[in-house]
């Protein structure tokens, strides 16, 4: 089976761009003492997803920092209440949130 441009999957982002977005995210997190972490996560993840094409269809990230911030507070409180045990599920919860806010452009 021959892969045509229409059904190929690829990533068209560049290394220097990624490094720049990650540095900017780290600066934002540092200067806000972690309060803007949801914004930094959305910023970097949006760049990654918006440069991803799956089977010829470009992906788009529709999540927002405001939407993630509400979950961030909830997850923080759950982690405190459970003495850190919920922290083991935090990465899964974040991945689920990211996937729920990822769509095909066309």
């Amino acid at each position: 089976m021959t892969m045509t441009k229409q059904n190929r999957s690829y990533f068209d982002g560049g290394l220097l761009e990624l490094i720049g977005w990650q540095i900017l995210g780290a600066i934002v997190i540092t200067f806000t003492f972690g309060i803007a972490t949801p914004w930094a996560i959305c910023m970097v993840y949006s760049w990654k997803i918006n440069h991803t094409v799956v089977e010829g269809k470009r992906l788009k990230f529709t999540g927002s920092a405001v939407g993630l911030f509400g979950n961030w507070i909830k997850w923080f409180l759950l982690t405190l209440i459970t003495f850190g045990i919920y922290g083991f599920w935090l990465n899964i919860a974040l991945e689920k949130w990211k996937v729920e806010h990822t769509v095909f452009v066309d």
Side-chain angles (χ1 to χ4, degrees):
M1 183 166 114
T2 307
M3 294 291 279
T4 64
K5 182 137 176 111
Q6 293 175 349
N7 62 4
R8 268 186 13 190
S9 297
Y10 58 92
F11 180 79
D12 60 8
L15 177 62
L16 292 179
E17 287 178 277
L18 177 59
I19 291 170
W21 283 110
Q22 289 178 332
I23 289 171
L24 181 60
I27 290 169
V28 166
I29 291 169
T30 301
F31 282 110
T32 63
F33 300 104
I35 293 172
T37 299
W39 183 78
I41 288 172
C42 286
M43 179 183 67
V44 172
Y45 188 71
S46 177
W47 179 86
K48 288 178 182 178
I49 284 301
N50 294 341
H51 283 84
T52 302
V53 175
V54 176
E55 294 185 2
K57 296 180 181 178
R58 186 163 297 275
L59 296 177
K60 180 179 180 177
F61 181 63
T62 60
S64 69
V66 173
L68 181 55
F69 191 76
N71 284 317
W72 202 258
I73 297 297
K74 177 179 71 175
W75 297 335
F76 175 73
L77 293 174
L78 283 169
T79 303
L80 283 178
I81 292 168
T82 62
F83 300 105
I85 295 172
Y86 185 76
F88 293 112
W89 283 270
L90 243 165
N91 283 332
I92 297 297
L94 181 58
E95 285 303 314
K96 285 180 180 181
W97 184 85
K98 288 177 181 177
V99 171
E100 287 172 3
H101 293 88
T102 301
V103 296
F104 287 109
V105 171
D106 33 343

